[in-house]
Amino acid sequence: MKTTKTFILFIILLLAKASIAQSAFEWPVKELDTAREVSYLSNEEKDMILEMNKVRYNPTMYTQKEMKWLGQHFEGKILKIPGQENLLTSEGKSAYEECIKYLETAKPAPLLYPSKGMTKACRLLVYDQEVTGTTGHRGSGNSTPSERVKKFGTFMGNFAENLHYGNSSASFAVIYLLIDDGEKSRGHRLAILNPSFNNVGVAIGKHKTYSKMFVSNFATHFTEK
């Protein structure tokens, strides 16, 4: 009996210690905020890079500090966040829960550093779809992400492009890309966490149909023209 009580007390102490450690955790923002001093990005675009670096730096802590609150706001397939428009999802809470489980076991990845040329490539698509109201990775003239980025330099290794549409903050755009609702491959999430990526370009702008759009390009290495 005494042994059982001692074991239970030990577990309680461990849980209390973990809770204190979690609440005391602070993001090392100076280290993660790799884009803050560049002049060619807006503050919101810099915020998006910071948010992605938080995920890459500590995926498990990101779920605890930035995402756990979201779970209580699902009603069926509708995500109801106070102060925001209701969002109809494809999978409902199941995609969110799957994302949490994935991030809790994901390994950290190297930090992303901003690229001016890749940002210019992202802006080409923003300028295009602001006028046309279309969505997707193909731009006017049927241009592909890699064709757009090659106008401003050369990438080596892996390359990817993420898109998000909707009137949201940069932090929520990253969270929604991580959940990747309706995308069987979870390709947006995999791009954010891909350890082979080192360079990133980001552009955020208006969209004719969805009010706002977020474009991010990732590359293993990128050499500016």
Side-chain angles (χ1 to χ4, degrees), residues 195-212:
S196 75
F197 291 146
N198 299 286
N199 299 127
V200 66
V202 171
I204 302 172
K206 296 178 181 179
H207 189 270
K208 187 175 181 179
T209 307
Y210 293 100
S211 177
K212 196 173 179 182

Side-chain angles (χ1 to χ4, degrees), residues 44-56 62 66-67 70 99 103 112 162-165 168-181 188-193 200 202 204 214 216 218:
E44 191 174 25
E45 289 164 348
K46 295 172 185 178
D47 290 343
M48 190 169 187
I49 293 175
L50 171 60
E51 203 69 19
M52 290 190 287
N53 275 337
K54 286 181 181 179
V55 182
R56 292 169 71 89
Y62 191 83
E66 314 294 343
M67 290 185 67
L70 199 61
C99 178
L103 291 177
L112 297 168
N162 277 358
L163 302 177
H164 174 70
Y165 299 89
S168 67
S169 64
S171 59
F172 185 75
V174 171
I175 289 172
Y176 200 77
L177 287 165
L178 287 168
I179 296 172
D180 224 358
D181 174 66
H188 299 103
R189 180 196 305 166
L190 294 176
I192 291 174
L193 288 163
V200 66
V202 171
I204 302 172
F214 301 75
S216 45
F218 306 86

